[in-house]
Amino acid sequence: QVHLEESGGGLVQAGGSLRLSCALSGRAFTGYAMGWFRQAPGKAREFVASISRNGDITRSADSVKGRFSISRDNGKSTVYLQMNDLKPEDTAVYYCAANRLSAATDDSVYDYWGQGTRVTVSS
């Protein structure tokens, strides 16, 4: 059984940076493409970024392009989301997810989800 555990959330001022981490256990990390999604209060969950199993393909939402980057360390079974120039509208619970297919942007493709880590950006 795949287990995902996120860390790195917190409170940051606008313009600041955070790096989220998500560690996968229970199965071989290299067998999974990974994604980050977020859900703001009162809003639907939305795609943030994704990365293929070997890291050669990455995708990101238009709203975070140029500010957020996704990467993975297969030796540590961990995927990262580097978030720079944070804005109040980035405030949300951030979830990592895993699937065996591709760096998908559609959350229905993902089979496994973490419990989420909260990011709050103050203005």
mmCIF file of all heavy atoms in Angstrom, residues 82-121:
data_model
loop_
_atom_site.group_PDB
_atom_site.id
_atom_site.type_symbol
_atom_site.label_atom_id
_atom_site.label_comp_id
_atom_site.label_asym_id
_atom_site.label_seq_id
_atom_site.Cartn_x
_atom_site.Cartn_y
_atom_site.Cartn_z
ATOM 1 N N GLN A 82 8.778 23.622 -4.973
ATOM 2 C CA GLN A 82 9.409 24.881 -4.575
ATOM 3 C C GLN A 82 8.477 26.012 -4.960
ATOM 4 O O GLN A 82 8.115 26.152 -6.138
ATOM 5 C CB GLN A 82 10.756 25.029 -5.272
ATOM 6 C CG GLN A 82 11.463 26.336 -4.953
ATOM 7 C CD GLN A 82 11.876 26.443 -3.495
ATOM 8 O OE1 GLN A 82 12.403 25.488 -2.919
ATOM 9 N NE2 GLN A 82 11.642 27.596 -2.885
ATOM 10 N N MET A 83 8.088 26.805 -3.988
ATOM 11 C CA MET A 83 7.136 27.886 -4.206
ATOM 12 C C MET A 83 7.811 29.212 -3.885
ATOM 13 O O MET A 83 8.195 29.448 -2.732
ATOM 14 C CB MET A 83 5.901 27.687 -3.333
ATOM 15 C CG MET A 83 5.251 26.315 -3.502
ATOM 16 S SD MET A 83 3.692 26.156 -2.625
ATOM 17 C CE MET A 83 4.251 26.268 -0.935
ATOM 18 N N ASN A 84 7.960 30.037 -4.886
ATOM 19 C CA ASN A 84 8.573 31.352 -4.734
ATOM 20 C C ASN A 84 7.559 32.439 -5.032
ATOM 21 O O ASN A 84 6.544 32.196 -5.686
ATOM 22 C CB ASN A 84 9.763 31.483 -5.687
ATOM 23 C CG ASN A 84 10.846 30.465 -5.417
ATOM 24 O OD1 ASN A 84 11.087 30.067 -4.274
ATOM 25 N ND2 ASN A 84 11.526 30.018 -6.463
ATOM 26 N N ASP A 85 7.870 33.643 -4.564
ATOM 27 C CA ASP A 85 6.992 34.791 -4.813
ATOM 28 C C ASP A 85 5.535 34.456 -4.467
ATOM 29 O O ASP A 85 4.621 34.664 -5.279
ATOM 30 C CB ASP A 85 7.109 35.240 -6.269
ATOM 31 C CG ASP A 85 6.424 36.569 -6.534
ATOM 32 O OD1 ASP A 85 6.230 37.345 -5.568
ATOM 33 O OD2 ASP A 85 6.054 36.819 -7.691
ATOM 34 N N LEU A 86 5.348 33.934 -3.288
ATOM 35 C CA LEU A 86 4.010 33.508 -2.885
ATOM 36 C C LEU A 86 3.060 34.692 -2.762
ATOM 37 O O LEU A 86 3.464 35.802 -2.375
ATOM 38 C CB LEU A 86 4.090 32.750 -1.565
ATOM 39 C CG LEU A 86 4.574 31.295 -1.726
ATOM 40 C CD1 LEU A 86 5.145 30.768 -0.412
ATOM 41 C CD2 LEU A 86 3.434 30.424 -2.215
ATOM 42 N N LYS A 87 1.798 34.422 -3.085
ATOM 43 C CA LYS A 87 0.757 35.430 -3.056
ATOM 44 C C LYS A 87 -0.358 34.967 -2.123
ATOM 45 O O LYS A 87 -0.530 33.749 -1.916
ATOM 46 C CB LYS A 87 0.200 35.631 -4.461
ATOM 47 C CG LYS A 87 1.253 36.020 -5.489
ATOM 48 C CD LYS A 87 0.648 36.132 -6.889
ATOM 49 C CE LYS A 87 1.723 36.509 -7.899
ATOM 50 N NZ LYS A 87 1.161 36.666 -9.264
ATOM 51 N N PRO A 88 -1.139 35.898 -1.594
ATOM 52 C CA PRO A 88 -2.243 35.485 -0.718
ATOM 53 C C PRO A 88 -3.176 34.472 -1.383
ATOM 54 O O PRO A 88 -3.714 33.584 -0.697
ATOM 55 C CB PRO A 88 -2.951 36.802 -0.422
ATOM 56 C CG PRO A 88 -1.858 37.825 -0.492
ATOM 57 C CD PRO A 88 -0.973 37.358 -1.607
ATOM 58 N N GLU A 89 -3.341 34.554 -2.681
ATOM 59 C CA GLU A 89 -4.227 33.611 -3.369
ATOM 60 C C GLU A 89 -3.632 32.206 -3.479
ATOM 61 O O GLU A 89 -4.323 31.280 -3.926
ATOM 62 C CB GLU A 89 -4.601 34.125 -4.766
ATOM 63 C CG GLU A 89 -3.426 34.534 -5.627
ATOM 64 C CD GLU A 89 -3.158 36.040 -5.565
ATOM 65 O OE1 GLU A 89 -3.230 36.622 -4.456
ATOM 66 O OE2 GLU A 89 -2.875 36.618 -6.645
ATOM 67 N N ASP A 90 -2.398 32.026 -3.064
ATOM 68 C CA ASP A 90 -1.813 30.682 -2.994
ATOM 69 C C ASP A 90 -2.189 29.974 -1.695
ATOM 70 O O ASP A 90 -1.855 28.789 -1.517
ATOM 71 C CB ASP A 90 -0.292 30.755 -3.096
ATOM 72 C CG ASP A 90 0.182 31.269 -4.440
ATOM 73 O OD1 ASP A 90 -0.379 30.855 -5.467
ATOM 74 O OD2 ASP A 90 1.134 32.074 -4.446
ATOM 75 N N THR A 91 -2.856 30.675 -0.785
ATOM 76 C CA THR A 91 -3.282 30.072 0.470
ATOM 77 C C THR A 91 -4.215 28.897 0.203
ATOM 78 O O THR A 91 -5.224 29.048 -0.493
ATOM 79 C CB THR A 91 -3.977 31.116 1.353
ATOM 80 O OG1 THR A 91 -3.025 32.118 1.730
ATOM 81 C CG2 THR A 91 -4.562 30.477 2.601
ATOM 82 N N ALA A 92 -3.857 27.732 0.729
ATOM 83 C CA ALA A 92 -4.629 26.516 0.472
ATOM 84 C C ALA A 92 -4.012 25.362 1.260
ATOM 85 O O ALA A 92 -2.910 25.488 1.804
ATOM 86 C CB ALA A 92 -4.628 26.174 -1.014
ATOM 87 N N VAL A 93 -4.731 24.262 1.270
ATOM 88 C CA VAL A 93 -4.133 23.003 1.691
ATOM 89 C C VAL A 93 -3.561 22.346 0.436
ATOM 90 O O VAL A 93 -4.275 22.213 -0.569
ATOM 91 C CB VAL A 93 -5.159 22.082 2.367
ATOM 92 C CG1 VAL A 93 -4.513 20.740 2.725
ATOM 93 C CG2 VAL A 93 -5.725 22.753 3.625
ATOM 94 N N TYR A 94 -2.303 21.963 0.509
ATOM 95 C CA TYR A 94 -1.620 21.374 -0.631
ATOM 96 C C TYR A 94 -1.506 19.860 -0.430
ATOM 97 O O TYR A 94 -1.081 19.399 0.641
ATOM 98 C CB TYR A 94 -0.228 21.987 -0.796
ATOM 99 C CG TYR A 94 -0.272 23.368 -1.399
ATOM 100 C CD1 TYR A 94 -0.761 24.450 -0.665
ATOM 101 C CD2 TYR A 94 0.135 23.602 -2.702
ATOM 102 C CE1 TYR A 94 -0.836 25.718 -1.217
ATOM 103 C CE2 TYR A 94 0.078 24.866 -3.269
ATOM 104 C CZ TYR A 94 -0.415 25.921 -2.518
ATOM 105 O OH TYR A 94 -0.484 27.180 -3.075
ATOM 106 N N TYR A 95 -1.877 19.132 -1.470
ATOM 107 C CA TYR A 95 -1.872 17.676 -1.425
ATOM 108 C C TYR A 95 -0.917 17.130 -2.483
ATOM 109 O O TYR A 95 -0.905 17.624 -3.617
ATOM 110 C CB TYR A 95 -3.257 17.121 -1.720
ATOM 111 C CG TYR A 95 -4.321 17.533 -0.746
ATOM 112 C CD1 TYR A 95 -5.071 18.687 -0.952
ATOM 113 C CD2 TYR A 95 -4.590 16.763 0.386
ATOM 114 C CE1 TYR A 95 -6.060 19.066 -0.059
ATOM 115 C CE2 TYR A 95 -5.581 17.134 1.288
ATOM 116 C CZ TYR A 95 -6.306 18.289 1.053
ATOM 117 O OH TYR A 95 -7.279 18.659 1.941
ATOM 118 N N CYS A 96 -0.168 16.110 -2.131
ATOM 119 C CA CYS A 96 0.550 15.392 -3.169
ATOM 120 C C CYS A 96 -0.208 14.115 -3.489
ATOM 121 O O CYS A 96 -0.993 13.606 -2.674
ATOM 122 C CB CYS A 96 1.999 15.098 -2.802
ATOM 123 S SG CYS A 96 2.258 13.795 -1.615
ATOM 124 N N ALA A 97 0.004 13.639 -4.702
ATOM 125 C CA ALA A 97 -0.724 12.476 -5.196
ATOM 126 C C ALA A 97 0.169 11.667 -6.116
ATOM 127 O O ALA A 97 1.118 12.204 -6.691
ATOM 128 C CB ALA A 97 -1.989 12.913 -5.926
ATOM 129 N N ALA A 98 -0.150 10.386 -6.250
ATOM 130 C CA ALA A 98 0.657 9.481 -7.067
ATOM 131 C C ALA A 98 -0.228 8.680 -8.018
ATOM 132 O O ALA A 98 -1.336 8.284 -7.658
ATOM 133 C CB ALA A 98 1.442 8.529 -6.169
ATOM 134 N N ASN A 99 0.287 8.447 -9.208
ATOM 135 C CA ASN A 99 -0.389 7.548 -10.148
ATOM 136 C C ASN A 99 0.660 6.822 -10.972
ATOM 137 O O ASN A 99 1.799 7.290 -11.095
ATOM 138 C CB ASN A 99 -1.375 8.321 -11.040
ATOM 139 C CG ASN A 99 -0.701 9.006 -12.210
ATOM 140 O OD1 ASN A 99 -0.446 8.410 -13.255
ATOM 141 N ND2 ASN A 99 -0.379 10.293 -12.030
ATOM 142 N N ARG A 100 0.291 5.720 -11.550
ATOM 143 C CA ARG A 100 1.261 4.890 -12.277
ATOM 144 C C ARG A 100 1.308 5.218 -13.766
ATOM 145 O O ARG A 100 2.053 4.560 -14.510
ATOM 146 C CB ARG A 100 0.932 3.413 -12.081
ATOM 147 C CG ARG A 100 1.062 2.941 -10.640
ATOM 148 C CD ARG A 100 0.923 1.435 -10.536
ATOM 149 N NE ARG A 100 2.013 0.747 -11.220
ATOM 150 C CZ ARG A 100 3.173 0.435 -10.664
ATOM 151 N NH1 ARG A 100 3.413 0.782 -9.406
ATOM 152 N NH2 ARG A 100 4.101 -0.204 -11.350
ATOM 153 N N LEU A 101 0.560 6.224 -14.183
ATOM 154 C CA LEU A 101 0.421 6.450 -15.625
ATOM 155 C C LEU A 101 1.291 7.582 -16.161
ATOM 156 O O LEU A 101 2.160 7.358 -17.002
ATOM 157 C CB LEU A 101 -1.050 6.710 -15.960
ATOM 158 C CG LEU A 101 -2.011 5.554 -15.665
ATOM 159 C CD1 LEU A 101 -3.437 5.959 -15.967
ATOM 160 C CD2 LEU A 101 -1.602 4.320 -16.455
ATOM 161 N N SER A 102 1.019 8.811 -15.699
ATOM 162 C CA SER A 102 1.678 9.951 -16.337
ATOM 163 C C SER A 102 1.623 11.173 -15.437
ATOM 164 O O SER A 102 0.966 11.165 -14.403
ATOM 165 C CB SER A 102 0.992 10.275 -17.670
ATOM 166 O OG SER A 102 -0.311 10.796 -17.424
ATOM 167 N N ALA A 103 2.293 12.227 -15.897
ATOM 168 C CA ALA A 103 2.272 13.516 -15.190
ATOM 169 C C ALA A 103 0.964 14.222 -15.504
ATOM 170 O O ALA A 103 0.930 15.268 -16.150
ATOM 171 C CB ALA A 103 3.466 14.357 -15.630
ATOM 172 N N ALA A 104 -0.112 13.641 -15.033
ATOM 173 C CA ALA A 104 -1.442 14.101 -15.381
ATOM 174 C C ALA A 104 -1.820 15.371 -14.628
ATOM 175 O O ALA A 104 -1.334 15.633 -13.528
ATOM 176 C CB ALA A 104 -2.458 13.004 -15.087
ATOM 177 N N THR A 105 -2.725 16.137 -15.241
ATOM 178 C CA THR A 105 -3.263 17.324 -14.592
ATOM 179 C C THR A 105 -4.647 17.063 -14.003
ATOM 180 O O THR A 105 -5.161 17.885 -13.258
ATOM 181 C CB THR A 105 -3.356 18.485 -15.588
ATOM 182 O OG1 THR A 105 -4.251 18.126 -16.645
ATOM 183 C CG2 THR A 105 -1.987 18.808 -16.184
ATOM 184 N N ASP A 106 -5.240 15.932 -14.356
ATOM 185 C CA ASP A 106 -6.583 15.567 -13.921
ATOM 186 C C ASP A 106 -6.490 14.761 -12.625
ATOM 187 O O ASP A 106 -5.871 13.694 -12.595
ATOM 188 C CB ASP A 106 -7.257 14.743 -15.015
ATOM 189 C CG ASP A 106 -8.685 14.363 -14.691
ATOM 190 O OD1 ASP A 106 -9.117 14.554 -13.527
ATOM 191 O OD2 ASP A 106 -9.376 13.880 -15.598
ATOM 192 N N ASP A 107 -7.125 15.238 -11.573
ATOM 193 C CA ASP A 107 -6.976 14.552 -10.286
ATOM 194 C C ASP A 107 -7.615 13.168 -10.277
ATOM 195 O O ASP A 107 -7.252 12.329 -9.449
ATOM 196 C CB ASP A 107 -7.496 15.399 -9.130
ATOM 197 C CG ASP A 107 -8.972 15.729 -9.217
ATOM 198 O OD1 ASP A 107 -9.630 15.331 -10.200
ATOM 199 O OD2 ASP A 107 -9.482 16.423 -8.313
ATOM 200 N N SER A 108 -8.529 12.897 -11.204
ATOM 201 C CA SER A 108 -9.166 11.580 -11.220
ATOM 202 C C SER A 108 -8.199 10.471 -11.647
ATOM 203 O O SER A 108 -8.488 9.293 -11.444
ATOM 204 C CB SER A 108 -10.378 11.593 -12.159
ATOM 205 O OG SER A 108 -9.970 11.745 -13.505
ATOM 206 N N VAL A 109 -7.065 10.846 -12.208
ATOM 207 C CA VAL A 109 -6.066 9.857 -12.639
ATOM 208 C C VAL A 109 -5.258 9.332 -11.451
ATOM 209 O O VAL A 109 -4.712 8.238 -11.510
ATOM 210 C CB VAL A 109 -5.130 10.491 -13.694
ATOM 211 C CG1 VAL A 109 -3.982 9.555 -14.070
ATOM 212 C CG2 VAL A 109 -5.913 10.900 -14.928
ATOM 213 N N TYR A 110 -5.216 10.092 -10.403
ATOM 214 C CA TYR A 110 -4.352 9.764 -9.271
ATOM 215 C C TYR A 110 -5.008 8.767 -8.325
ATOM 216 O O TYR A 110 -6.185 8.894 -7.987
ATOM 217 C CB TYR A 110 -3.956 11.045 -8.537
ATOM 218 C CG TYR A 110 -2.999 11.868 -9.353
ATOM 219 C CD1 TYR A 110 -3.453 12.733 -10.351
ATOM 220 C CD2 TYR A 110 -1.613 11.770 -9.159
ATOM 221 C CE1 TYR A 110 -2.570 13.458 -11.126
ATOM 222 C CE2 TYR A 110 -0.737 12.508 -9.930
ATOM 223 C CZ TYR A 110 -1.219 13.348 -10.913
ATOM 224 O OH TYR A 110 -0.339 14.063 -11.682
ATOM 225 N N ASP A 111 -4.208 7.799 -7.897
ATOM 226 C CA ASP A 111 -4.712 6.710 -7.065
ATOM 227 C C ASP A 111 -4.482 6.919 -5.573
ATOM 228 O O ASP A 111 -5.236 6.390 -4.762
ATOM 229 C CB ASP A 111 -4.026 5.394 -7.476
ATOM 230 C CG ASP A 111 -4.241 5.077 -8.941
ATOM 231 O OD1 ASP A 111 -5.406 5.018 -9.357
ATOM 232 O OD2 ASP A 111 -3.237 4.905 -9.657
ATOM 233 N N TYR A 112 -3.428 7.625 -5.251
ATOM 234 C CA TYR A 112 -3.035 7.771 -3.844
ATOM 235 C C TYR A 112 -2.845 9.244 -3.522
ATOM 236 O O TYR A 112 -2.306 10.006 -4.338
ATOM 237 C CB TYR A 112 -1.738 7.001 -3.575
ATOM 238 C CG TYR A 112 -1.844 5.528 -3.910
ATOM 239 C CD1 TYR A 112 -1.334 5.032 -5.100
ATOM 240 C CD2 TYR A 112 -2.464 4.653 -3.039
ATOM 241 C CE1 TYR A 112 -1.438 3.696 -5.429
ATOM 242 C CE2 TYR A 112 -2.576 3.300 -3.349
ATOM 243 C CZ TYR A 112 -2.064 2.833 -4.543
ATOM 244 O OH TYR A 112 -2.178 1.511 -4.859
ATOM 245 N N TRP A 113 -3.250 9.596 -2.296
ATOM 246 C CA TRP A 113 -3.210 10.986 -1.858
ATOM 247 C C TRP A 113 -2.629 11.076 -0.458
ATOM 248 O O TRP A 113 -2.861 10.197 0.384
ATOM 249 C CB TRP A 113 -4.626 11.574 -1.850
ATOM 250 C CG TRP A 113 -5.193 11.707 -3.221
ATOM 251 C CD1 TRP A 113 -5.800 10.725 -3.961
ATOM 252 C CD2 TRP A 113 -5.185 12.882 -4.036
ATOM 253 N NE1 TRP A 113 -6.169 11.225 -5.201
ATOM 254 C CE2 TRP A 113 -5.811 12.552 -5.258
ATOM 255 C CE3 TRP A 113 -4.712 14.177 -3.850
ATOM 256 C CZ2 TRP A 113 -5.957 13.473 -6.281
ATOM 257 C CZ3 TRP A 113 -4.880 15.090 -4.861
ATOM 258 C CH2 TRP A 113 -5.495 14.736 -6.068
ATOM 259 N N GLY A 114 -1.909 12.174 -0.216
ATOM 260 C CA GLY A 114 -1.458 12.473 1.130
ATOM 261 C C GLY A 114 -2.547 13.176 1.914
ATOM 262 O O GLY A 114 -3.635 13.445 1.409
ATOM 263 N N GLN A 115 -2.223 13.476 3.163
ATOM 264 C CA GLN A 115 -3.214 14.084 4.056
ATOM 265 C C GLN A 115 -3.277 15.603 3.896
ATOM 266 O O GLN A 115 -4.201 16.240 4.394
ATOM 267 C CB GLN A 115 -2.904 13.727 5.514
ATOM 268 C CG GLN A 115 -1.834 14.587 6.179
ATOM 269 C CD GLN A 115 -0.423 14.309 5.672
ATOM 270 O OE1 GLN A 115 -0.169 13.350 4.949
ATOM 271 N NE2 GLN A 115 0.518 15.162 6.064
ATOM 272 N N GLY A 116 -2.304 16.172 3.206
ATOM 273 C CA GLY A 116 -2.296 17.612 2.967
ATOM 274 C C GLY A 116 -1.441 18.378 3.954
ATOM 275 O O GLY A 116 -1.271 17.971 5.103
ATOM 276 N N THR A 117 -0.918 19.491 3.482
ATOM 277 C CA THR A 117 -0.172 20.405 4.341
ATOM 278 C C THR A 117 -0.668 21.815 4.039
ATOM 279 O O THR A 117 -0.846 22.188 2.879
ATOM 280 C CB THR A 117 1.354 20.266 4.130
ATOM 281 O OG1 THR A 117 2.044 21.086 5.073
ATOM 282 C CG2 THR A 117 1.779 20.654 2.727
ATOM 283 N N ARG A 118 -0.882 22.596 5.078
ATOM 284 C CA ARG A 118 -1.507 23.906 4.906
ATOM 285 C C ARG A 118 -0.458 24.970 4.638
ATOM 286 O O ARG A 118 0.559 25.059 5.334
ATOM 287 C CB ARG A 118 -2.320 24.267 6.147
ATOM 288 C CG ARG A 118 -3.125 25.550 6.029
ATOM 289 C CD ARG A 118 -3.980 25.754 7.269
ATOM 290 N NE ARG A 118 -4.910 24.645 7.456
ATOM 291 C CZ ARG A 118 -6.091 24.551 6.865
ATOM 292 N NH1 ARG A 118 -6.477 25.505 6.026
ATOM 293 N NH2 ARG A 118 -6.872 23.524 7.101
ATOM 294 N N VAL A 119 -0.752 25.789 3.646
ATOM 295 C CA VAL A 119 0.074 26.955 3.328
ATOM 296 C C VAL A 119 -0.790 28.197 3.472
ATOM 297 O O VAL A 119 -1.866 28.281 2.869
ATOM 298 C CB VAL A 119 0.642 26.854 1.900
ATOM 299 C CG1 VAL A 119 1.337 28.156 1.496
ATOM 300 C CG2 VAL A 119 1.594 25.677 1.784
ATOM 301 N N THR A 120 -0.316 29.134 4.279
ATOM 302 C CA THR A 120 -1.031 30.390 4.468
ATOM 303 C C THR A 120 -0.091 31.532 4.108
ATOM 304 O O THR A 120 1.018 31.628 4.646
ATOM 305 C CB THR A 120 -1.510 30.547 5.913
ATOM 306 O OG1 THR A 120 -2.348 29.430 6.252
ATOM 307 C CG2 THR A 120 -2.293 31.836 6.087
ATOM 308 N N VAL A 121 -0.535 32.378 3.188
ATOM 309 C CA VAL A 121 0.270 33.511 2.735
ATOM 310 C C VAL A 121 -0.421 34.787 3.197
ATOM 311 O O VAL A 121 -1.554 35.059 2.799
ATOM 312 C CB VAL A 121 0.447 33.511 1.221
ATOM 313 C CG1 VAL A 121 1.385 34.646 0.800
ATOM 314 C CG2 VAL A 121 0.986 32.169 0.740
#
